[in-house]
Amino acid sequence: MQVLSKTASALLTKSLRSFSTHQVLSEAAKRGLVLGVLSNNKLLNADSASLSNAQQQSLVAKAAALGFSGEAGKVQTVLSDDLQQHIALVGLGDTQAEAAKISTTETEIVRTAVATGVRQLLQARKVDSVTIAPMPHAQAAAEGAQLALYKFDQFKSSKEGEDEAPASINVSWLDSTQKEWDAGQITANAQNFARDLMNTPANFMTPTLFAERVEREFQGLDNVHVRVHGPEWVKEQKMGGLLTVSQGSNEPLRFLEIEYRGSGADTPVDLGLVGKGVTFDTGGYSLKPGRYMDAMKGDMGGGAVVVAAMRALAQLRVPINIVAAVPLCENMINGKAVKVSDVYTSRAGITVEVMNTDAEGRLILADALHYVTDVHKPTALVDVATLTGAMVVALGEHYTGVFTPSPHLWQRIERAAHTADEPAWRMPLHDCWDAMLKSPVADLSNIGNRAEAGACTAAAFLRQFVHGKRTGKGILGDQNNDEESSPKWAHLDIAGPMEAASTSGYHTKGMSGRPTRLLIALAQDLAHKKLN
């Protein structure tokens, strides 16, 4: 660590007058360095970046002259004295105290700082390589760097004149904690993979194309089996919900199944993951407003994060057995599309009256949940879906809403959310909402009978297909009343965090790919200690 002396400050003030901005930028190399700075401009591990004491003093002086003090969240980009690299000084503050002050974690401070530094170097200084100097939490640093590099521009025919980073950036890490850095690269690349799937226009991401992309991504990975089922198989399985939703589209449905056996072929399945895979959602005859319909290319976000997490877990060789299922279809309108008040029979044998065709996600999830429960019998089962607008109203874009009758599974999810810095909040799941799902002509209605508690009634609907049809007595009691049921189940409504409203830190405006890292952390935690 180096702190500026008065002599160095005077020398630096004189040297700053010697160069114009134009001269500096035209003569500089296109290399970048991200360097952590603690409170009071204390450089962190600058020696590892081959910076001499004089160079370190000069950096501190330049930063101080520009009003930078190492405060967490602040970044200052300067040019090295030898004109060979651009240096992004990223403020970490007193990370422990800062984390407590702004209600976050040290890992999130590092992740955000590195991401912001990388963005500054790419956009303002146009570097073509970035080196990250050692700092705490190597995995978070790698995640910040890799997530900041993300952009989705494959359909732009020309990028001339646009303020964008070069097409190929080399990011490296100057530290011995290479294993943690590599793990962060894998988890961040998984989230970026989910972003790609969600951002891709629906005509390039049909159910068939989604499944084909996943098959390519998993080629060569050990202990992984990918199976893609078509309409005939779905009919044999009597998945009435998936068949009903898909019948309004000319695109054939797919049912994607991924099995990862990281702890042995003869041991039980520890975790089942189910992701909603509606590759475009018009709402059907319960038509969505046109203003926001473009975002419905990302309505397969649950499926995207599930397959992305599965790829990362296989790459990391996590010792756990997981089965993932993604029912894939479009929710469109034609002469065969499901109509309001139609009734179908689900795989579980439960009949459902469709009172809103825009509440389609729960119909395909119900069949998939019943299939995974019935066939694979996992210890824990988690479904992930961009399910309800009500969840966006309740929690906004930052938190995932979690519904579960199991306090033990919730504790694991909450811990994983904290580990990944992808916030989650437990929502109520009580018997009182079962009564709201009663139908006069079928076993269940697919929406509640009153315009309230939309996210809660959706979760209550899904629970019927995991733990069996409920009595619907309408009792407001202890929501932990299914603790002895198998499997232990949780529903993650990600309608809020599916999309980032703006670009900042490691978040890029558009589809977010969240909560991929939460799912990875959850599986790692379950691998470390089984859920009893």
PDB file of all heavy atoms in Angstrom, residues 27 36 52 97 108 114 123 142 172 202 204 211 250 277 292 356 370 417 452 491 501 512:
ATOM      1  N   GLU A  27      -0.961   8.514 -27.665  1.00  0.00           N
ATOM      2  CA  GLU A  27       0.303   7.814 -27.491  1.00  0.00           C
ATOM      3  C   GLU A  27       0.176   6.565 -26.617  1.00  0.00           C
ATOM      4  O   GLU A  27       1.077   5.742 -26.558  1.00  0.00           O
ATOM      5  CB  GLU A  27       1.331   8.755 -26.852  1.00  0.00           C
ATOM      6  CG  GLU A  27       1.679   9.950 -27.746  1.00  0.00           C
ATOM      7  CD  GLU A  27       2.586  10.938 -27.020  1.00  0.00           C
ATOM      8  OE1 GLU A  27       3.270  10.509 -26.067  1.00  0.00           O
ATOM      9  OE2 GLU A  27       2.588  12.112 -27.390  1.00  0.00           O
ATOM     10  N   GLY A  36      -7.520  -2.099  -7.134  1.00  0.00           N
ATOM     11  CA  GLY A  36      -8.354  -1.788  -5.981  1.00  0.00           C
ATOM     12  C   GLY A  36      -7.719  -0.733  -5.106  1.00  0.00           C
ATOM     13  O   GLY A  36      -6.496  -0.694  -4.916  1.00  0.00           O
ATOM     14  N   SER A  52       6.180   0.374  -9.565  1.00  0.00           N
ATOM     15  CA  SER A  52       7.200   0.799  -8.613  1.00  0.00           C
ATOM     16  C   SER A  52       6.590   1.730  -7.580  1.00  0.00           C
ATOM     17  O   SER A  52       5.459   2.217  -7.737  1.00  0.00           O
ATOM     18  CB  SER A  52       8.327   1.520  -9.345  1.00  0.00           C
ATOM     19  OG  SER A  52       7.843   2.752  -9.877  1.00  0.00           O
ATOM     20  N   ALA A  97     -16.730  -2.302   6.768  1.00  0.00           N
ATOM     21  CA  ALA A  97     -17.581  -1.235   7.287  1.00  0.00           C
ATOM     22  C   ALA A  97     -18.543  -0.736   6.220  1.00  0.00           C
ATOM     23  O   ALA A  97     -19.708  -0.436   6.486  1.00  0.00           O
ATOM     24  CB  ALA A  97     -16.707  -0.080   7.788  1.00  0.00           C
ATOM     25  N   GLU A 108     -20.158  -8.287  -3.018  1.00  0.00           N
ATOM     26  CA  GLU A 108     -20.893  -7.436  -3.952  1.00  0.00           C
ATOM     27  C   GLU A 108     -20.145  -6.130  -4.214  1.00  0.00           C
ATOM     28  O   GLU A 108     -20.153  -5.613  -5.335  1.00  0.00           O
ATOM     29  CB  GLU A 108     -22.298  -7.150  -3.404  1.00  0.00           C
ATOM     30  CG  GLU A 108     -23.171  -6.303  -4.307  1.00  0.00           C
ATOM     31  CD  GLU A 108     -23.643  -7.006  -5.577  1.00  0.00           C
ATOM     32  OE1 GLU A 108     -23.147  -8.114  -5.881  1.00  0.00           O
ATOM     33  OE2 GLU A 108     -24.512  -6.445  -6.268  1.00  0.00           O
ATOM     34  N   VAL A 114     -15.123  -3.994  -9.694  1.00  0.00           N
ATOM     35  CA  VAL A 114     -14.375  -4.523 -10.844  1.00  0.00           C
ATOM     36  C   VAL A 114     -15.173  -4.305 -12.130  1.00  0.00           C
ATOM     37  O   VAL A 114     -14.625  -3.879 -13.158  1.00  0.00           O
ATOM     38  CB  VAL A 114     -14.051  -6.012 -10.646  1.00  0.00           C
ATOM     39  CG1 VAL A 114     -13.483  -6.612 -11.925  1.00  0.00           C
ATOM     40  CG2 VAL A 114     -13.054  -6.182  -9.504  1.00  0.00           C
ATOM     41  N   GLN A 123     -15.139   1.443 -22.438  1.00  0.00           N
ATOM     42  CA  GLN A 123     -15.946   2.447 -23.106  1.00  0.00           C
ATOM     43  C   GLN A 123     -15.236   3.784 -23.251  1.00  0.00           C
ATOM     44  O   GLN A 123     -15.311   4.417 -24.308  1.00  0.00           O
ATOM     45  CB  GLN A 123     -17.266   2.612 -22.351  1.00  0.00           C
ATOM     46  CG  GLN A 123     -18.125   1.349 -22.382  1.00  0.00           C
ATOM     47  CD  GLN A 123     -19.343   1.434 -21.473  1.00  0.00           C
ATOM     48  OE1 GLN A 123     -19.601   2.450 -20.845  1.00  0.00           O
ATOM     49  NE2 GLN A 123     -20.089   0.345 -21.389  1.00  0.00           N
ATOM     50  N   ALA A 142     -13.947 -11.979 -10.724  1.00  0.00           N
ATOM     51  CA  ALA A 142     -14.094 -12.579 -12.049  1.00  0.00           C
ATOM     52  C   ALA A 142     -15.506 -12.400 -12.577  1.00  0.00           C
ATOM     53  O   ALA A 142     -15.716 -12.100 -13.761  1.00  0.00           O
ATOM     54  CB  ALA A 142     -13.741 -14.059 -11.990  1.00  0.00           C
ATOM     55  N   SER A 172      -7.417 -10.895 -17.648  1.00  0.00           N
ATOM     56  CA  SER A 172      -6.555 -11.811 -16.896  1.00  0.00           C
ATOM     57  C   SER A 172      -6.485 -11.386 -15.437  1.00  0.00           C
ATOM     58  O   SER A 172      -6.837 -10.265 -15.067  1.00  0.00           O
ATOM     59  CB  SER A 172      -5.150 -11.846 -17.516  1.00  0.00           C
ATOM     60  OG  SER A 172      -4.600 -10.538 -17.583  1.00  0.00           O
ATOM     61  N   ALA A 202     -37.581 -13.878 -30.691  1.00  0.00           N
ATOM     62  CA  ALA A 202     -38.327 -15.135 -30.633  1.00  0.00           C
ATOM     63  C   ALA A 202     -38.290 -15.911 -31.941  1.00  0.00           C
ATOM     64  O   ALA A 202     -38.401 -17.147 -31.924  1.00  0.00           O
ATOM     65  CB  ALA A 202     -39.776 -14.861 -30.226  1.00  0.00           C
ATOM     66  N   PHE A 204     -35.748 -16.359 -33.666  1.00  0.00           N
ATOM     67  CA  PHE A 204     -34.475 -17.070 -33.640  1.00  0.00           C
ATOM     68  C   PHE A 204     -34.325 -17.931 -32.373  1.00  0.00           C
ATOM     69  O   PHE A 204     -33.253 -18.481 -32.123  1.00  0.00           O
ATOM     70  CB  PHE A 204     -33.307 -16.087 -33.712  1.00  0.00           C
ATOM     71  CG  PHE A 204     -33.157 -15.428 -35.050  1.00  0.00           C
ATOM     72  CD1 PHE A 204     -33.773 -14.219 -35.315  1.00  0.00           C
ATOM     73  CD2 PHE A 204     -32.406 -16.023 -36.053  1.00  0.00           C
ATOM     74  CE1 PHE A 204     -33.644 -13.600 -36.553  1.00  0.00           C
ATOM     75  CE2 PHE A 204     -32.266 -15.428 -37.295  1.00  0.00           C
ATOM     76  CZ  PHE A 204     -32.899 -14.207 -37.545  1.00  0.00           C
ATOM     77  N   ALA A 211     -33.909 -25.805 -27.849  1.00  0.00           N
ATOM     78  CA  ALA A 211     -33.443 -27.156 -27.509  1.00  0.00           C
ATOM     79  C   ALA A 211     -32.157 -27.501 -28.252  1.00  0.00           C
ATOM     80  O   ALA A 211     -31.233 -28.107 -27.678  1.00  0.00           O
ATOM     81  CB  ALA A 211     -34.533 -28.178 -27.823  1.00  0.00           C
ATOM     82  N   ASN A 250     -47.888 -22.405 -34.522  1.00  0.00           N
ATOM     83  CA  ASN A 250     -47.412 -23.275 -35.604  1.00  0.00           C
ATOM     84  C   ASN A 250     -46.066 -23.911 -35.280  1.00  0.00           C
ATOM     85  O   ASN A 250     -45.629 -24.828 -35.978  1.00  0.00           O
ATOM     86  CB  ASN A 250     -47.299 -22.482 -36.911  1.00  0.00           C
ATOM     87  CG  ASN A 250     -48.651 -22.041 -37.435  1.00  0.00           C
ATOM     88  OD1 ASN A 250     -49.658 -22.697 -37.197  1.00  0.00           O
ATOM     89  ND2 ASN A 250     -48.683 -20.921 -38.141  1.00  0.00           N
ATOM     90  N   GLY A 277     -40.596 -22.385 -20.021  1.00  0.00           N
ATOM     91  CA  GLY A 277     -39.969 -22.203 -21.322  1.00  0.00           C
ATOM     92  C   GLY A 277     -40.915 -21.684 -22.394  1.00  0.00           C
ATOM     93  O   GLY A 277     -40.958 -22.247 -23.489  1.00  0.00           O
ATOM     94  N   TYR A 292     -45.675  -3.488 -23.951  1.00  0.00           N
ATOM     95  CA  TYR A 292     -44.611  -4.227 -23.283  1.00  0.00           C
ATOM     96  C   TYR A 292     -44.434  -5.648 -23.838  1.00  0.00           C
ATOM     97  O   TYR A 292     -43.696  -6.440 -23.274  1.00  0.00           O
ATOM     98  CB  TYR A 292     -44.887  -4.308 -21.777  1.00  0.00           C
ATOM     99  CG  TYR A 292     -44.979  -2.961 -21.107  1.00  0.00           C
ATOM    100  CD1 TYR A 292     -46.195  -2.480 -20.623  1.00  0.00           C
ATOM    101  CD2 TYR A 292     -43.849  -2.155 -20.984  1.00  0.00           C
ATOM    102  CE1 TYR A 292     -46.276  -1.233 -20.010  1.00  0.00           C
ATOM    103  CE2 TYR A 292     -43.923  -0.908 -20.380  1.00  0.00           C
ATOM    104  CZ  TYR A 292     -45.139  -0.454 -19.896  1.00  0.00           C
ATOM    105  OH  TYR A 292     -45.217   0.779 -19.304  1.00  0.00           O
ATOM    106  N   ASN A 356     -58.046 -17.714 -17.787  1.00  0.00           N
ATOM    107  CA  ASN A 356     -57.215 -16.646 -18.342  1.00  0.00           C
ATOM    108  C   ASN A 356     -56.101 -17.310 -19.138  1.00  0.00           C
ATOM    109  O   ASN A 356     -55.267 -18.019 -18.576  1.00  0.00           O
ATOM    110  CB  ASN A 356     -56.635 -15.773 -17.220  1.00  0.00           C
ATOM    111  CG  ASN A 356     -55.904 -14.551 -17.755  1.00  0.00           C
ATOM    112  OD1 ASN A 356     -55.198 -14.612 -18.761  1.00  0.00           O
ATOM    113  ND2 ASN A 356     -56.063 -13.423 -17.077  1.00  0.00           N
ATOM    114  N   HIS A 370     -45.012 -32.315 -12.017  1.00  0.00           N
ATOM    115  CA  HIS A 370     -45.545 -33.651 -11.724  1.00  0.00           C
ATOM    116  C   HIS A 370     -44.661 -34.730 -12.336  1.00  0.00           C
ATOM    117  O   HIS A 370     -44.399 -35.768 -11.713  1.00  0.00           O
ATOM    118  CB  HIS A 370     -46.978 -33.776 -12.243  1.00  0.00           C
ATOM    119  CG  HIS A 370     -47.636 -35.055 -11.833  1.00  0.00           C
ATOM    120  ND1 HIS A 370     -47.626 -36.188 -12.627  1.00  0.00           N
ATOM    121  CD2 HIS A 370     -48.290 -35.411 -10.692  1.00  0.00           C
ATOM    122  CE1 HIS A 370     -48.261 -37.154 -12.012  1.00  0.00           C
ATOM    123  NE2 HIS A 370     -48.680 -36.721 -10.838  1.00  0.00           N
ATOM    124  N   ALA A 417     -28.863 -17.184  -1.963  1.00  0.00           N
ATOM    125  CA  ALA A 417     -29.101 -15.818  -2.434  1.00  0.00           C
ATOM    126  C   ALA A 417     -28.064 -14.871  -1.863  1.00  0.00           C
ATOM    127  O   ALA A 417     -27.566 -13.969  -2.563  1.00  0.00           O
ATOM    128  CB  ALA A 417     -30.509 -15.368  -2.044  1.00  0.00           C
ATOM    129  N   GLU A 452     -56.873 -10.352  -6.690  1.00  0.00           N
ATOM    130  CA  GLU A 452     -55.945 -10.082  -5.594  1.00  0.00           C
ATOM    131  C   GLU A 452     -55.014 -11.272  -5.426  1.00  0.00           C
ATOM    132  O   GLU A 452     -55.294 -12.375  -5.900  1.00  0.00           O
ATOM    133  CB  GLU A 452     -56.708  -9.839  -4.284  1.00  0.00           C
ATOM    134  CG  GLU A 452     -57.559 -11.009  -3.855  1.00  0.00           C
ATOM    135  CD  GLU A 452     -58.405 -10.732  -2.620  1.00  0.00           C
ATOM    136  OE1 GLU A 452     -59.075  -9.679  -2.564  1.00  0.00           O
ATOM    137  OE2 GLU A 452     -58.391 -11.579  -1.698  1.00  0.00           O
ATOM    138  N   HIS A 491     -41.049 -22.539  -5.189  1.00  0.00           N
ATOM    139  CA  HIS A 491     -41.367 -21.842  -6.444  1.00  0.00           C
ATOM    140  C   HIS A 491     -40.711 -20.469  -6.423  1.00  0.00           C
ATOM    141  O   HIS A 491     -40.900 -19.695  -5.485  1.00  0.00           O
ATOM    142  CB  HIS A 491     -42.885 -21.706  -6.577  1.00  0.00           C
ATOM    143  CG  HIS A 491     -43.320 -20.660  -7.561  1.00  0.00           C
ATOM    144  ND1 HIS A 491     -42.953 -20.681  -8.894  1.00  0.00           N
ATOM    145  CD2 HIS A 491     -44.100 -19.546  -7.396  1.00  0.00           C
ATOM    146  CE1 HIS A 491     -43.495 -19.632  -9.505  1.00  0.00           C
ATOM    147  NE2 HIS A 491     -44.183 -18.940  -8.620  1.00  0.00           N
ATOM    148  N   ALA A 501     -33.470  -2.590 -15.774  1.00  0.00           N
ATOM    149  CA  ALA A 501     -34.004  -1.364 -16.369  1.00  0.00           C
ATOM    150  C   ALA A 501     -32.912  -0.436 -16.869  1.00  0.00           C
ATOM    151  O   ALA A 501     -33.153   0.417 -17.727  1.00  0.00           O
ATOM    152  CB  ALA A 501     -34.883  -0.634 -15.355  1.00  0.00           C
ATOM    153  N   SER A 512     -31.669 -10.081 -17.841  1.00  0.00           N
ATOM    154  CA  SER A 512     -30.617 -10.100 -16.824  1.00  0.00           C
ATOM    155  C   SER A 512     -29.908 -11.443 -16.662  1.00  0.00           C
ATOM    156  O   SER A 512     -28.787 -11.493 -16.152  1.00  0.00           O
ATOM    157  CB  SER A 512     -31.217  -9.708 -15.471  1.00  0.00           C
ATOM    158  OG  SER A 512     -32.099 -10.731 -15.011  1.00  0.00           O
TER     159      SER A 512
END
